[in-house]
Amino acid sequence: MLELEDVHVGYGRTTVVHGATVSVPADSVVAVTGHNGAGKTTLLRAAAGLLRPSSGRVLLDGEDVTKLRPHERVKRGLAYVPQGQQCFPQLTAEDNLRLVADTRKDGRAATAEALELFPALTAVLGRRAGLLSGGQRQQLAIARALITRPRLLVLDEPTEGIQPSVVAEIEATIRSLASGAGLAVLLVEQHIGFALSAASRYYVLEAGRVTASGDGGPAAVDRVRAAMAI
């Protein structure tokens, strides 16, 4: 599905990620974890097309998309949910969803399917998005991305600042998407327990380099903590 091959990427003359190789097979959840400043978000931005690597390749379904712009990757089935529960705060939750749905022939059906995954949003569709809780805004951001019917969902810190009950709901949704909807998920997350319980494989990023990788699951927590020296 997605291959990041020996990717070097950063900002201007400053390289942040140094030769990272990450593989996200179809129908799987892959987590990238590491300390603040390790380069996790930079790596995701390269995957989404917001940053162009200085060297290395980004492959989507075997096609080299390294030079493609973000909207071209969206057409190929990639959806990116950035960090920070991003939404249009002055618009209602429903209007936030319609901004995407109205661009698609199947927008109404796709919106209904997304709301089935996050039923709590149904009760707040008429409320301005800026007045929603952090958890509701995060669910809204993911639901909006799902309306594009992606085959690869890229999530940056989806549990940041969210109460535990909503974290559990998001984890369950990620699991169901990967197992039942044929969707691959690339997940950046500092919450190690969440990341490893949701993921089938993990990568640890330190100072822009992959320093450890392996199979996910609760049994991997101690290995990852050791790799991160925490």
Side-chain angles (χ1 to χ4, degrees):
M1 169 60 73
L2 176 70
E3 301 285 339
L4 299 165
E5 295 184 346
D6 194 25
V7 168
H8 294 72
V9 65
Y11 305 88
R13 296 183 179 181
T14 302
T15 300
V16 176
V17 175
H18 307 268
T21 295
V22 171
S23 177
V24 185
D27 305 339
S28 69
V29 180
V30 172
V32 177
T33 190
H35 295 294
N36 283 334
K40 304 183 301 296
T41 292
T42 302
L43 185 67
L44 288 199
R45 288 171 64 85
L50 296 170
L51 291 174
R52 181 175 294 185
S54 58
S55 64
R57 300 195 303 168
V58 180
L59 304 176
L60 191 58
D61 284 335
E63 178 188 0
D64 189 341
V65 298
T66 310
K67 296 182 180 180
L68 294 187
R69 295 180 179 181
H71 73 275
E72 295 173 308
R73 301 189 195 196
V74 170
K75 290 180 180 179
R76 285 163 172 76
L78 185 150
Y80 173 52
V81 180
Q83 187 177 11
Q85 306 141 25
Q86 294 191 15
C87 63
F88 297 95
Q90 298 303 318
L91 299 180
T92 66
E94 183 175 15
D95 285 341
N96 268 264
L97 297 176
R98 288 185 61 184
L99 283 174
V100 179
D102 286 351
T103 67
R104 301 183 57 86
K105 292 181 180 179
D106 61 348
R108 180 173 295 183
T111 300
E113 292 172 12
L115 290 174
E116 286 180 5
L117 293 169
F118 297 111
L121 289 177
T122 303
V124 296
L125 287 177
R127 190 176 302 172
R128 283 195 302 173
L131 300 179
L132 302 181
S133 69
Q136 289 168 333
R137 289 196 303 273
Q138 187 62 277
Q139 290 176 321
L140 179 63
I142 297 173
R144 192 173 57 214
L146 292 174
I147 292 173
T148 67
R149 297 192 187 278
R151 292 178 298 110
L152 171 66
L153 181 63
V154 179
L155 299 173
D156 192 357
E157 300 281 5
T159 70
E160 183 183 39
I162 294 177
Q163 63 190 50
S165 61
V166 179
V167 170
E169 292 177 13
I170 291 175
E171 178 184 340
T173 299
I174 291 173
R175 285 176 174 274
S176 68
L177 287 170
S179 62
L183 181 71
V185 179
L186 175 58
L187 166 73
V188 153
E189 181 61 61
Q190 288 193 69
H191 189 311
I192 295 174
F194 168 83
L196 296 180
S197 62
S200 55
R201 187 162 183 80
Y202 70 86
Y203 294 85
V204 176
L205 204 62
E206 290 293 334
R209 292 176 171 84
V210 174
T211 57
S213 62
D215 293 334
V221 171
D222 288 341
R223 296 198 303 273
V224 172
R225 289 188 180 277
M228 296 175 60
I230 58 175

